[in-house]
Structure formats: structure tokens, C-alpha cells
């Protein structure tokens, strides 16, 4: 069985993972989140510099925890998109270096497909068909999935503006809470009443897209509530605002995910992405799925956020499915839509080979640290 090295650098986490035949053997993860706190969000250039410093140590950490040698790696997978352009380029460059030095295939994979693939490490192969809710800082989508390595991904609905995680970050700033907003808002909500404020449930009306999302208006409703309290000279009830906002987001996600399962006749719901680590969302989704007779699959919280294990898991699926790698033609595509597990390689007009792996580079002629 092939040993696959996965590298993730799409945002502010530098991740490396080693997977063989659906089993996670080792991983390394570093975050530059603390460096972005004073900016209230991720600064691409700061994230990229952090990746440059961390990517080799994280690969070494994954190799060490797996108890293998770097020379044992049979294939490399890397996040090629979507993500922050400077950050993606660091990971792709590193992956090309490793693949060239080791003379192994290189796969450029889609970040969101990686989020779906990571659940395989914990719960085994995905069912033949399932509905997937991806809910993260930059994406909120409902998908219909088949064979993740071979089949195209069908979008049932996506967010038209702010993603759920982005809304958490913006609400955190409104409430004077620390970045990143997801954990901060969730912590503040522990002392609040989720029914204290009747915030709207966006895109749930009879004329709205059944599986579409929009959280910009909800964020605006929170801003108006905070402004009204400040204008009246009242203290902003941060715990109640946080709890009520959080429940509004959770309510929308649960409603639409369950509706998608019902309309598609799916008996399995896969929920992935950074926001899937939210404990209230996990509990409410579990309760609703149990009542509806739907199997809910959610990775452990540590696997929900960006990590190298998910990219290695997706690469492992591609290798086992016999999918052709892109090799050194792999490039970063920051805004690539999710249509399948691999990120398509833009081809120059009239160019057939598109930078194939050079046969003149002998295995071991370049040293990989």
C-alpha cells in the first residue's frame, strides 16, 4: 500500500500528514493564528512567511510520529486551492520539491474535498451516496457526494455572501471578542440565553433557494442590535447576543441540511469544516439527525479545522483509485470551484504536456529535508 504525504497551507495552518490505506500514521500542525490577532483577520503575506518557516518542520514531525523515513513516501498530495494565493504557493512549491527529490507522483487537490475525505480516517469509507455540509471560515455549501475520488461533486447550494465562519469572525469584532471568532463567540455564548434575541434565520423563506445560504444580513442584524444598545447608553449583553447569533446560524444549517437529506433520499449526512467543531452545532445536528433517522458523520474536532491529515487522506483515495497525478504541472488556483477531488491544471494554449515530471531528475539527486 502506498504511503501518501499530504501538505496543507491554504490559510493560517501549516499541516503535514502521512496516510496509508485509509489510516493516519503521523501528522504535524502549526498555526500562525496568534500573529493575525492584532489585524482581526488573516494577513496573506504574514501567513505565507509562517508557512515558509513551518512546512519542513511539520513534514519532519509527521515522519517522526509515523515512525517511517521520508524515503518511504510513495506519493505527495498538496492543497492547490482554494485559499490565499501567497499561502498556497508555499505549499505547492514545497510539495513539488518533495515529489521531485523522492521521484514520486504529485497530486494537486481541492481543499474542500480534503475536508470531506478526512472523515474516512475516523469512520471508514464513505457510503455510495451522501449529503455533505461543508461549513467553514470561507465556505458554506451543501453537496451531493458519490465516490469522492472518481465522481464529480454536485453542488446543491452555496452561500451567496458571508460564510458561516466569516460571520462568526465579524460578529466577534462587533462584540469586542478575540479573533478567531468561532471559539470566542462560542465561549461567550456559554453564559448567554440563545432565545434572548430573535435574530433572523436568513434564506429560510418560501421563496428563498432551498439549499442556499446567506449570513451577511444576520451579521448586520447583530450590528444593529449592538448599535441600538450603545446609542441608548446600555451595556451590550454580549453573552446573550453571542448565544442568540450562534443559535440562528445553527438553526439555518440544521434546517437546510436535513431538508437536503429528505429531498435527496439520503440516509447519511457528512458535516465537515472548521465550524463543524462548534459544540452547539454538533449537538443540534445530532439531535435532529437522530429524530429523522439519518446517520450523522462528523470528524473529531481536531480534524475539522485545516490540517495535513485531510490532504493526505484525499491523496490516499486518489492513489488507490488509480487517478492520474498532475505532477509538476500542479499549480496554485486560489479561487478554484469544487467540482472534484483534484484541482484542474490550467493549460497554456497548444501545450500538451504541461510541464511533466522531468525524467532527467534522478531519484535522490535533490535532497529533501
Amino acid at each position: 500500500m502506498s504511503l501518501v504525504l499530504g501538505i496543507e497551507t491554504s490559510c493560517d495552518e501549516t499541516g503535514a500528514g502521512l496516510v496509508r490505506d485509509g489510516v493516519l500514521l503521523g501528522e504535524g500542525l502549526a498555526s500562525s493564528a496568534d500573529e493575525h490577532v492584532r489585524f482581526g483577520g488573516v494577513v496573506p503575506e504574514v501567513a505565507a512567511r509562517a508557512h515558509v518557516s513551518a512546512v519542513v518542520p511539520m513534514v519532519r514531525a509527521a515522519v517522526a510520529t509515523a515512525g517511517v523515513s521520508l524515503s518511504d513516501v510513495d506519493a505527495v498530495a498538496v492543497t492547490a486551492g482554494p485559499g490565499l494565493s501567497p499561502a498556497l504557493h508555499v505549499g505547492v512549491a514545497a510539495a513539488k520539491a518533495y515529489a521531485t527529490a523522492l521521484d514520486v507522483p504529485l497530486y494537486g487537490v481541492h481543499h474542500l474535498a480534503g475536508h470531506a475525505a478526512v472523515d474516512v480516517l475516523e469512520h471508514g469509507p464513505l457510503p455510495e451516496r451522501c449529503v455533505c455540509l461543508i461549513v467553514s471560515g470561507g465556505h458554506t455549501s451543501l453537496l451531493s457526494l458519490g465516490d469522492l475520488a472518481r465522481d464529480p461533486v454536485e453542488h446543491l447550494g452555496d452561500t451567496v455572501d458571508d460564510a458561516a465562519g466569516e460571520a462568526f469572525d465579524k460578529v466577534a469584532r462587533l462584540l469586542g471578542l478575540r479573533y478567531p471568532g468561532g471559539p470566542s463567540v462560542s465561549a461567550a455564548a456559554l453564559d448567554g440565553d440563545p432565545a434572548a434575541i430573535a435574530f433572523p434565520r436568513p434564506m429560510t423563506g418560501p421563496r428563498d433557494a432551498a439549499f442556499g445560504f446567506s449570513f451577511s444580513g444576520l451579521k448586520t442584524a447583530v450590528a444593529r442590535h449592538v448599535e441600538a444598545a450603545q446609542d441608548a447608553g446600555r451595556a451590550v449583553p454580549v453573552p446573550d447576543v453571542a448565544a442568540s447569533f450562534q443559535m440562528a446560524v445553527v438553526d439555518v444549517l440544521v434546517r437546510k441540511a436535513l431538508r437536503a437529506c429528505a429531498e435527496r433520499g439520503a440516509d447519511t449526512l457528512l458535516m465537515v469544516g472548521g465550524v463543524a467543531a462548534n459544540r452547539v452545532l454538533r449537538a443540534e445536528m445530532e439531535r435532529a439527525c437522530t429524530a429523522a433517522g439519518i446517520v450523522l458523520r462528523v470528524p473529531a474536532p481536531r480534524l475539522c479545522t485545516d490540517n495535513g491529515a485531510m490532504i493526505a487522506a484525499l491523496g490516499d483515495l486518489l492513489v488507490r483509485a488509480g487517478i492520474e497525478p498532475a505532477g509538476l504541472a500542479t499549480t496554485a488556483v486560489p479561487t478554484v470551484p469544487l467540482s472534484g477531488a483534484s484541482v484542474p491544471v490550467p493549460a497554456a494554449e497548444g501545450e500538451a504536456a504541461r510541464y511533466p515530471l522531468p525524467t532527467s531528475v534522478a531519484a535522490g539527486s535533490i535532497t529533501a529535508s
Side-chain angles (χ1 to χ4, degrees):
M1 295 294 179
S2 296
L3 179 64
V4 180
L5 168 65
I7 296 175
E8 156 63 24
T9 65
S10 66
C11 192
D12 59 345
E13 278 89 21
T14 310
L18 286 166
V19 170
R20 177 187 282 132
D21 195 26
V23 178
L24 177 62
L25 301 180
E27 60 181 323
L29 184 66
S31 175
S32 61
D34 288 345
E35 299 179 44
H36 306 283
V37 170
R38 64 193 178 101
F39 302 107
V42 178
V43 179
E45 290 75 15
V46 173
R49 286 197 295 271
H51 291 312
V52 170
S53 299
V55 65
V56 170
M58 291 307 100
V59 171
R60 287 174 174 165
V63 168
T65 55
V68 299
S69 298
L70 192 57
S71 59
D72 294 324
V73 170
D74 299 297
V76 178
V78 62
T79 299
L84 304 174
S85 181
L88 288 170
H89 280 289
V90 174
V92 170
K96 287 183 177 182
Y98 281 113
T100 302
L102 299 170
D103 193 20
V104 298
L106 173 62
Y107 294 83
V109 303
H110 200 288
H111 176 78
L112 298 183
H115 274 302
V118 78
D119 189 66
V120 172
L121 302 178
E122 194 166 12
H123 299 121
L126 292 173
E128 197 170 299
R129 177 64 58 179
C130 69
V131 167
C132 176
L133 172 65
I134 293 183
V135 54
S136 67
H139 305 272
T140 303
S141 302
L142 274 168
L143 313 169
S144 178
L145 300 182
D147 185 314
L148 195 55
R150 296 181 176 91
D151 296 340
V153 173
E154 180 188 0
H155 284 249
L156 304 178
D158 301 281
T159 185
V160 298
D161 44 52
D162 290 354
E166 185 179 1
F168 269 93
D169 286 339
K170 290 179 177 179
V171 167
R173 286 199 292 272
L174 289 169
L175 297 177
L177 301 175
R178 181 183 172 88
Y179 172 85
S184 297
V185 171
S186 295
L190 291 173
D191 297 322
D193 178 4
I197 305 162
F199 286 130
R201 271 52 174 170
M203 295 283 283
T204 56
R207 297 184 180 179
D208 292 321
F211 307 128
F213 298 95
S214 169
F215 294 103
S216 179
L218 176 58
K219 174 262 300 177
T220 300
V222 173
R224 287 175 177 167
H225 185 88
V226 169
E227 290 167 2
Q230 292 171 337
D231 291 345
R234 302 191 307 268
V236 176
V238 172
D240 284 347
V241 173
S244 298
F245 160 76
Q246 177 176 253
M247 187 52 69
V249 173
V250 167
D251 192 22
V252 170
L253 295 173
V254 171
R255 283 195 213 180
K256 288 181 177 277
L258 268 291
R259 181 173 178 178
C261 288
E263 293 195 8
R264 282 308 180 101
D267 60 5
T268 301
L269 172 65
L270 174 63
M271 184 170 70
V272 296
V275 181
N278 181 285
R279 66 174 191 85
V280 174
L281 174 58
R282 295 168 78 96
E284 289 298 312
M285 194 69 81
E286 181 66 49
R287 178 192 58 76
C289 284
T290 299
I294 294 169
V295 175
L296 176 64
R297 293 178 52 145
V298 191
R302 72 177 185 85
L303 294 177
C304 287
T305 53
D306 295 348
N307 58 81
M310 71 187 203
I311 303 307
L314 185 56
D316 177 61
L317 291 177
L318 291 170
V319 170
R320 287 191 280 152
I323 304 301
E324 183 179 356
L328 295 191
T330 299
T331 188
V333 188
T335 58
V336 62
L338 176 59
S339 58
S342 298
V343 170
V345 177
E349 186 176 352
E351 186 177 53
R354 292 179 295 157
Y355 311 106
L357 185 67
T359 55
S360 60
V361 179
S365 63
I366 299 176
T367 301
S369 299

